[in-house]
Amino acid sequence: MRGKLQDACDIEKSTLTPHTILVVEDDEALLRLIQKNLQRAGFHTEGASNGAEAISHIVSNPPELLLLDYRLPDMTCNQVVETLAEQQRSIPFIVITGHGDEKVAVEMMKLGARDYLVKDTALLDLLLSVVKRSLEQSALEKQLADMEKQYHAIFENASDAIWVQDLDGNIITANEATARLLGFNRRELAGMNVARFLSKEALDASVEVQQKLQQGEAINNPYELRLNRKDGTEAILRLTTNLLLSGSHPVGFQHVARDVTEERRAQENLRFYLQQVTKAQEEERKHIARELHDVTAQRL
């Protein structure tokens, strides 16, 4: 068993980057044994024998993961976690318990534990896999948080109007470009229904697009809608709409809109100009025809 465990430790050590893990355990012999196995796998470890010592260590030098004994001499696991939460110190933790009680496991998971280990003969066999899984989960959460920050920056700084609405048309969030486009401030937009600024015709067209998306039908993105700003002026939008899902259930829509009002007016002015030029040319041709018929032909 020791030979297999050593091989597993060597493999883990070659594949993992160093992480700092704080082991909080009042049994000094078990504390050293856990630390030794983690160090063999390439982790950097720190130890604490009670809750107060653990909290002090976390405040001064936060670890990436906490292995926390369920029962400590000075406080319970719950008290340690609650104290850290009060100090706004969120550290992923795994509970180590001497009782393989499902009730304890559920209680710890509700408290935010990533996992739990029971102090039995399988503890060291499971230790590395549980620790690695927890660290991978933390890394994934960090990546998702970074992606969310990047999306938020794009959302806030986009020149196009972007807003998210629920299935009933109530705006959940909108960026600054949406506020500028509509003439409302962002506080006014929060919770506002899109019927407030869409005409009956535009609202019907929008509902039709949303129904097709919910039914999995293809739509012609982008499409155009007309809306009424707060000051009563009309704007023409080139709009892209996407369905938002929670799992497999539709929860809302995200719209990305560009104001093409000036572009459409320029096109309309150009069409009017071309119509006028064409009309003038036609009048000129008619005038020349009359001249040829009435004057030149008679002279000839």
Side-chain angles (χ1 to χ4, degrees), residues 205 220 222-226 236-239 260 263-264:
N220 294 323
Y223 58 99
E224 290 189 2
L225 283 182
R226 294 176 181 265
I236 304 171
L237 302 185
R238 182 181 293 126
L239 198 66
V260 295
E263 180 182 335
R264 288 291 171 268

Side-chain angles (χ1 to χ4, degrees), residues 52-165:
E53 186 181 350
I55 292 170
S56 176
H57 193 289
I58 290 169
V59 170
S60 60
N61 187 23
E64 294 172 72
L65 182 65
L66 183 63
L67 292 182
L68 183 61
D69 190 7
Y70 181 67
R71 295 188 185 279
L72 294 166
D74 56 343
M75 61 179 69
T76 65
C77 173
N78 303 49
Q79 290 173 325
V80 173
V81 174
E82 289 169 359
T83 302
L84 291 173
E86 290 171 0
Q87 298 182 12
Q88 298 183 340
R89 305 276 180 175
S90 179
I91 306 294
F93 68 98
I94 298 169
V95 174
I96 305 175
T97 175
H99 309 280
D101 188 345
E102 185 176 341
K103 183 179 178 181
V104 172
V106 172
E107 177 190 350
M108 291 300 97
M109 292 303 178
K110 287 182 178 179
L111 197 61
R114 294 297 173 89
D115 212 327
Y116 76 101
L117 290 163
V118 180
K119 296 178 185 179
D120 58 17
T121 55
L123 173 62
L124 297 180
D125 292 332
L126 297 173
L127 177 64
L128 294 180
S129 61
V130 171
V131 166
K132 181 179 179 181
R133 184 167 61 246
S134 297
L135 289 170
E136 287 175 345
Q137 183 180 350
S138 296
L140 179 59
E141 289 174 356
K142 185 178 183 303
Q143 290 176 0
L144 291 174
D146 290 342
M147 290 173 63
E148 185 176 351
K149 288 180 181 178
Q150 292 173 8
Y151 170 78
H152 185 72
I154 294 171
F155 177 84
E156 289 296 332
N157 299 319
S159 57
D160 289 340
I162 305 174
W163 73 89
V164 176
Q165 66 179 64

Side-chain angles (χ1 to χ4, degrees), residues 141-266:
E141 289 174 356
K142 185 178 183 303
Q143 290 176 0
L144 291 174
D146 290 342
M147 290 173 63
E148 185 176 351
K149 288 180 181 178
Q150 292 173 8
Y151 170 78
H152 185 72
I154 294 171
F155 177 84
E156 289 296 332
N157 299 319
S159 57
D160 289 340
I162 305 174
W163 73 89
V164 176
Q165 66 179 64
D166 63 19
L167 297 177
D168 295 322
N170 301 309
I171 295 176
I172 299 170
T173 183
N175 67 353
E176 189 60 36
T178 304
R180 290 196 302 269
L181 172 66
L182 297 175
F184 296 94
N185 63 51
R186 295 174 72 173
R187 289 190 301 275
E188 291 175 315
L189 287 174
M192 181 184 292
N193 194 281
V194 294
R196 171 68 176 78
F197 51 80
L198 291 180
S199 66
K200 176 67 167 57
E201 181 182 353
L203 186 60
D204 290 343
S206 179
V207 169
E208 182 181 354
V209 167
Q210 293 167 18
Q211 288 175 343
K212 286 183 178 180
L213 286 172
Q214 291 187 70
Q215 294 165 4
E217 298 181 26
I219 63 170
N220 294 323
N221 267 330
Y223 58 99
E224 290 189 2
L225 283 182
R226 294 176 181 265
L227 60 79
N228 299 313
R229 297 188 180 97
K230 184 178 181 179
D231 62 5
T233 59
E234 185 182 68
I236 304 171
L237 302 185
R238 182 181 293 126
L239 198 66
T240 299
T241 301
N242 294 298
L243 180 65
L244 299 178
L245 301 173
S246 177
S248 59
H249 301 289
V251 293
F253 302 93
Q254 176 181 271
H255 304 280
V256 181
R258 179 165 296 178
D259 187 355
V260 295
T261 308
E262 295 303 321
E263 180 182 335
R264 288 291 171 268
R265 286 175 179 168

